[in-house]
Amino acid sequence: MGSTNLVVPVVLWGLHPPTHCVSSVFLSRDQRTLATGCYDGQICLWQVDPDTMKMTPRCLLVGHTAPVLCLSRASIIQDNNFLVSSSETGEMCTWDLVDGKCRESTKLNQVHTSIQAYHMSNCDDIRLFCNGYYAEIMVMDPFSLEVIFSLSCKVKPDWISALHVLRPSKRKDDVVLAITTTGTVKVWTLLGNENKYSEPIYENESKQIRCLNAITMSCCSQNQRTVLIVCAKYWQIYDAGDFTVLCSVISPSGERWLGGDFLGNDRVILWSDEGKGYLYRLPANAIPGLISNVSCIPDNKEFHSQSIGKDLPFLYCVLSQTGEKPLSCPPAMKLVPTTRGGKTQKYLVRGDSEGFVTLWSVPEFSLDDIKTAQTGAIPPQVMKSTICTSVNDTWSLMTPPPVGILDQLNHPSETALKLTASIYLPQQSRLVVGREDGSIIIVPATQTVMLQLLHGIHKNYHDWPPHQVLTGHRGRVNSLLCPSLAHPRYDKSHLVSGGVDFAVCLWDLYSGTLLHRFCVHAGEITQLLVPPNTCSPRIQKCICSVASDHSVTLLSLQERKCVTLASRHLFPVVSIKWRPLDDFLIVGCSDGTVYVWQMETGHLDRVLHGMLAEEVMSACDENIAETSCGSTSEIGLANPAVHFFRGLRHRNLSAIRHATQRGIHQLQQLHSHHNQHGEFLLKNRSSPLLIQGLRTNPKDAESHILFFDIEGLIFELHSEEYALMTAEALEAQEAGAQANASHASSHEAGKKISGKSYMVVF
């Protein structure tokens, strides 16, 4: 559904900061923006001071439904403000880092575990080289997110676990170096004319090595014959000439390697799942092309045999954070080289499960100092982080603290109760909020929002907005549903709530009384849904509830009893689909199994697995898409709110009135030509304020987003103004508007006659 509304969102976060368990990190090359993706699917943008490296969270990008695995730049330009992200379910997004807008999004069948941004020789911009849970390398455009071409495997095809793209010296072509999960190294040579219409591009070389489940692969920029491959238990240096191992280092006791990269032609940095960085100096006999006291020339037959075991890499520095508690999951770490003022500096960035972002400025040790420490067997130096911060630290430093939607109900001496669920009733302008103690609060939305946005005034305000308290749950309220918002066939006074006490409660919104308590499930309620309008008349009077005991029920609000109980699912329920014409309720579980239930009889029709289960679920999605496309149409109209703001800025009363009248005229046209679309827009016009609950993690307290529809506000204000005006006043106002319009047209004609031109930039 196309929308031309100008909507301004405002977030009321509350006293509790959102959980941010970091899964991926990205630092821009200009050191001004840090992005951290989390396991809940959000991306936090941090504003970085390049001088002090102080970080402040700026905005939260909400778009992914699964952990964010990859973050990559989208252009070769240093100050380009675009970022590409990829999630665990194949979702990819291109974000504008200035305003946080999602420029492009898509969902692929392939899941990326790593993305390398690389500027090919024949391209104006970079290309994304992606690998993951599939047996090829996908090369994508960062802005359209289209697959330009793919690199396929002909010999021993398997998932690509790591790759590196480079341009050999004195050559114009590009080389892709990759390794599969089973340890087969592959090499592709790109000529520059590859596209999606080309023949399958197979590898030029392939060799099996003893390296399973590699995590990262990188080549030294100063000496491209040196290749670093990191696995969980060890990292190894290879000679790219024949891929013979030159040296190998086992991970520290109780730790696993997560990745690594080159600091120079003779130094590497590795990081582990404990969040530490280890700096090694490579032995001279492990560096192809360097001369040492042993035979180290790559063409020499004795080079590889003498290099192994003779000299081991020397650990000369450890980057760690003292006094921190053990991490609950592996951190996300990355080496970021930056250039500022002609000086190159490398940073090791880490984001952990507690939401902390830690940054080390990688120290530069002289070769003499390293040799002295190596000769004297001096233990490695331990370097503390340059800066360490988190969202929690930012929250604690805010004065006054962030406000919540129901702060007026919290006594300063008492611990504030967490808000766990909410629903907004636009026709009644009421907000229903469930809390962790089992109570449900109903407040007038407009007065409550006004109270919280005018922060500081309500501290001495004694006439609080009236509120209603519903008590009936024994524990946290997990979900709320007002069925009449989904379809008018339901009673407008009905409110349904589900809690941690296994109960589904039916309430009367106006009297606040508990009408019925459904005790059918054996687990806490996680979701409440409304069946489609095309179901049978009996099912149309029901609501669907999902519980943590893997059960799904259809509860009749009219008969006050359970119509269908689907409780044979072996795994948690993750999706509910409908086939109303076939009387089927389709339940998808976390293991991929699909259960097909008859709604009227409660009979289990069939259980599907594998590809057949996926086809049934996708068929339901296609049915919904066809239905929605048949009932709506995309439209595009000039936005009257933009013209309204222009008139307001220049104090042009006639322009303001003209924009308002044009907006009302468009609504009337929409209502006459596209009845359903017009009704939807008119419904929004009657609700210039919409409130949406936001919870980034199931354990978090619920925050709230206030959506102010500017056109809806204009419509309401002018409706009230015209309703209070008399007929004589309306005629006088119309005559004045016409006079102003004629004066403006004559003034514009005078400008044209005088030969002058004017341009106003907004």
Side-chain angles (χ1 to χ4, degrees):
M1 169 100 45
S3 177
T4 60
N5 297 9
L6 180 61
V7 179
V8 179
V10 178
V11 182
L12 298 180
W13 289 103
L15 298 176
H16 305 281
T19 300
H20 194 64
C21 183
V22 181
S23 59
S24 55
V25 294
F26 168 83
L27 179 64
S28 62
R29 289 185 293 176
D30 60 359
Q31 308 175 33
R32 296 186 181 275
T33 303
L34 173 74
T36 54
C38 73
Y39 283 95
D40 295 314
Q42 293 81 39
I43 301 174
C44 183
L45 297 184
W46 304 67
Q47 184 175 349
V48 184
D49 186 349
D51 297 325
T52 62
M53 298 306 293
K54 181 181 178 181
M55 304 175 185
T56 305
R58 179 167 57 90
C59 63
L60 194 68
L61 308 181
V62 180
H64 290 289
T65 60
V68 180
L69 300 182
C70 308
L71 294 173
S72 174
R73 62 190 177 98
S75 178
I76 59 175
I77 305 175
Q78 182 169 347
D79 57 352
N80 184 268
N81 296 306
F82 290 95
L83 176 74
V84 177
S85 61
S86 177
S87 75
E88 201 174 57
T89 56
E91 302 163 333
M92 292 190 70
C93 297
T94 301
W95 304 91
D96 189 337
L97 299 183
V98 176
D99 57 4
K101 182 179 179 181
C102 180
R103 174 167 176 170
E104 190 64 47
S105 65
T106 187
K107 186 171 183 179
L108 305 175
N109 295 325
Q110 299 85 354
V111 177
H112 308 318
T113 57
S114 176
I115 297 178
Q116 180 180 347
Y118 180 78
H119 183 208
M120 298 180 63
S121 57
N122 65 322
C123 299
D124 296 332
D125 216 329
I126 66 170
R127 294 290 181 256
L128 303 178
F129 285 76
C130 311
N131 68 282
Y133 303 145
Y134 47 92
E136 58 184 357
I137 297 175
M138 300 174 59
V139 183
M140 304 182 65
D141 184 271
F143 292 102
S144 65
L145 297 181
E146 295 179 350
V147 179
I148 302 175
F149 61 90
S150 299
L151 305 180
S152 304
C153 301
K154 191 173 185 179
V155 180
K156 295 182 180 180
D158 205 343
W159 289 359
I160 304 294
S161 59
L163 66 86
H164 185 81
V165 191
L166 71 154
R167 184 173 303 148
S169 57
K170 300 180 181 180
R171 289 174 57 181
K172 295 183 179 180
D173 52 357
D174 301 305
V175 174
V176 180
L177 189 65
I179 183 171
T180 66
T181 56
T182 53
T184 303
V185 178
K186 298 179 179 296
V187 179
W188 289 266
T189 301
L190 305 180
L191 302 178
N193 56 357
E194 296 82 6
N195 54 63
K196 58 183 177 181
Y197 304 107
S198 304
E199 295 292 329
I201 305 173
Y202 295 111
E203 68 271 28
N204 304 101
E205 300 178 32
S206 179
K207 181 180 181 181
Q208 182 72 35
I209 63 175
R210 299 183 61 181
C211 182
L212 301 179
N213 299 317
I215 300 174
T216 61
M217 167 188 280
S218 57
C219 296
C220 181
S221 58
Q222 293 91 346
N223 186 1
Q224 293 181 342
R225 290 202 48 188
T226 310
V227 181
L228 169 65
I229 299 180
V230 182
C231 299
K233 295 183 179 180
Y234 53 86
W235 62 267
Q236 296 175 330
I237 297 293
Y238 286 84
D239 180 7
D242 56 2
F243 258 89
T244 304
V245 62
L246 303 181
C247 64
S248 180
V249 176
I250 301 176
S251 60
S253 177
E255 300 183 35
R256 289 177 175 268
W257 296 122
L258 291 181
D261 206 342
F262 281 93
L263 295 176
N265 60 348
D266 63 339
R267 303 179 193 185
V268 294
I269 180 172
L270 283 300
W271 47 88
S272 70
D273 59 354
E274 291 294 322
K276 300 179 181 179
Y278 296 86
L279 278 65
Y280 290 90
R281 179 180 181 268
L282 300 178
N285 57 350
I287 307 173
L290 294 184
I291 305 298
S292 65
N293 56 355
V294 297
S295 179
C296 62
I297 301 176
D299 297 333
N300 194 315
K301 297 181 180 179
E302 300 180 354
F303 168 69
H304 297 308
S305 61
Q306 292 192 12
S307 63
I308 300 178
K310 289 288 184 177
D311 294 328
L312 293 177
F314 175 66
L315 176 63
Y316 63 91
C317 184
V318 177
L319 309 180
S320 67
Q321 190 73 2
T322 58
E324 62 179 3
K325 61 181 181 179
L327 303 176
S328 58
C329 62
M333 304 183 71
K334 190 174 184 179
L335 181 70
V336 181
T338 61
T339 303
R340 189 164 178 260
K343 184 179 180 182
T344 301
Q345 177 63 51
K346 296 183 178 181
Y347 295 97
L348 180 63
V349 186
R350 187 190 83 176
D352 58 34
S353 57
E354 301 298 323
F356 283 92
V357 177
T358 309
L359 184 141
W360 289 271
S361 177
V362 179
E364 291 286 346
F365 286 87
S366 64
L367 183 59
D368 294 336
D369 294 339
I370 297 177
K371 288 182 178 179
T372 301
Q374 187 173 5
T375 304
I378 300 175
Q381 296 188 29
V382 178
M383 304 291 293
K384 296 183 179 180
S385 62
T386 305
I387 190 169
C388 181
T389 185
S390 68
V391 178
N392 291 353
D393 294 341
T394 305
W395 233 257
S396 61
L397 295 175
M398 289 186 183
T399 304
V403 296
I405 197 74
L406 293 184
D407 280 357
Q408 72 271 18
L409 301 181
N410 301 327
H411 195 274
S413 61
E414 298 178 356
T415 303
L417 293 173
K418 287 186 178 181
L419 310 182
T420 56
S422 62
I423 185 173
Y424 176 60
L425 311 177
Q427 295 180 351
Q428 306 173 27
S429 187
R430 301 168 78 189
L431 179 66
V432 184
V433 181
R435 302 196 293 183
E436 62 180 345
D437 65 342
S439 62
I440 300 175
I441 310 297
I442 304 177
V443 294
T446 306
Q447 293 91 327
T448 303
V449 168
M450 181 178 63
L451 187 69
Q452 305 307 334
L453 291 182
L454 301 177
H455 189 76
I457 298 178
H458 73 275
K459 294 297 183 181
N460 300 320
Y461 189 73
H462 301 288
D463 188 14
W464 305 111
H467 63 276
Q468 192 176 6
V469 182
L470 310 182
T471 56
H473 284 287
R474 304 180 185 92
R476 183 179 65 249
V477 179
N478 287 339
S479 53
L480 293 168
L481 174 67
C482 186
S484 62
L485 292 180
H487 198 275
R489 67 177 184 265
Y490 293 98
D491 193 335
K492 293 183 178 180
S493 63
H494 282 174
L495 172 71
V496 184
S497 62
V500 73
D501 57 352
F502 307 171
V504 177
C505 295
L506 176 62
W507 306 86
D508 189 315
L509 272 172
Y510 302 109
S511 63
T513 57
L514 178 61
L515 301 178
H516 190 75
R517 184 183 180 90
F518 298 92
C519 297
V520 183
H521 296 280
E524 59 179 277
I525 311 302
T526 58
Q527 195 175 8
L528 295 173
L529 304 169
V530 173
N533 189 37
T534 53
C535 292
S536 63
R538 188 186 185 193
I539 301 301
Q540 288 185 16
K541 299 296 183 182
C542 297
I543 59 105
C544 177
S545 61
V546 184
S548 61
D549 66 333
H550 314 164
S551 63
V552 179
T553 62
L554 291 176
L555 306 175
S556 176
L557 303 184
Q558 186 179 36
E559 302 175 23
R560 308 288 169 85
K561 68 176 184 180
C562 177
V563 174
T564 301
L565 173 61
S567 60
R568 298 184 186 180
H569 312 120
L570 301 179
F571 289 86
V573 177
V574 295
S575 61
I576 299 290
K577 304 291 183 181
W578 309 88
R579 291 299 293 264
L581 299 180
D582 300 323
D583 191 40
F584 284 157
L585 169 66
I586 301 176
V587 180
C589 297
S590 60
D591 65 333
T593 307
V594 170
Y595 294 76
V596 181
W597 298 84
Q598 292 182 358
M599 290 186 282
E600 285 282 358
T601 62
H603 173 70
L604 179 60
D605 187 81
R606 73 197 78 166
V607 180
L608 306 175
H609 305 272
M611 294 297 296
L612 187 58
E614 295 180 4
E615 290 176 0
V616 169
M617 297 297 283
S618 60
C620 295
D621 294 334
E622 291 174 1
N623 187 25
I624 295 174
E626 290 175 0
T627 304
S628 61
C629 290
S631 61
T632 61
S633 60
E634 296 290 334
I635 62 170
L637 297 173
N639 197 334
V642 176
H643 297 283
F644 174 84
F645 277 119
R646 291 178 179 177
L648 190 65
R649 181 178 180 181
H650 295 275
R651 300 180 181 180
N652 190 338
L653 184 60
S654 62
I656 295 174
R657 295 188 184 279
H658 177 68
T660 306
Q661 292 171 359
R662 189 157 61 88
I664 296 175
H665 179 65
Q666 287 181 359
L667 290 177
Q668 293 172 349
Q669 286 185 338
L670 284 171
H671 191 274
S672 59
H673 293 92
H674 303 280
N675 190 27
Q676 292 182 353
H677 197 171
E679 288 179 356
F680 177 80
L681 291 178
L682 286 174
K683 182 180 178 181
N684 282 351
R685 288 297 184 274
S686 63
S687 304
L689 170 65
L690 294 177
I691 303 177
Q692 176 68 47
L694 171 66
R695 185 164 49 189
T696 59
N697 187 280
K699 296 182 179 179
D700 287 346
E702 194 164 71
S703 304
H704 293 83
I705 308 177
L706 313 177
F707 295 98
F708 293 97
D709 187 344
I710 304 302
E711 293 185 30
L713 289 172
I714 297 170
F715 186 85
E716 289 294 322
L717 291 174
H718 279 274
S719 297
E720 294 179 2
E721 179 185 357
Y722 286 128
L724 297 176
M725 294 178 66
T726 62
E728 293 79 5
L730 285 172
E731 292 179 359
Q733 195 174 62
E734 184 68 24
Q738 293 178 358
N740 290 334
S742 61
H743 177 71
S745 61
S746 62
H747 184 60
E748 185 68 24
K751 289 181 181 179
K752 293 180 179 179
I753 292 173
S754 62
K756 298 180 180 179
S757 61
Y758 298 86
M759 178 178 291
V760 180
V761 180
F762 298 98

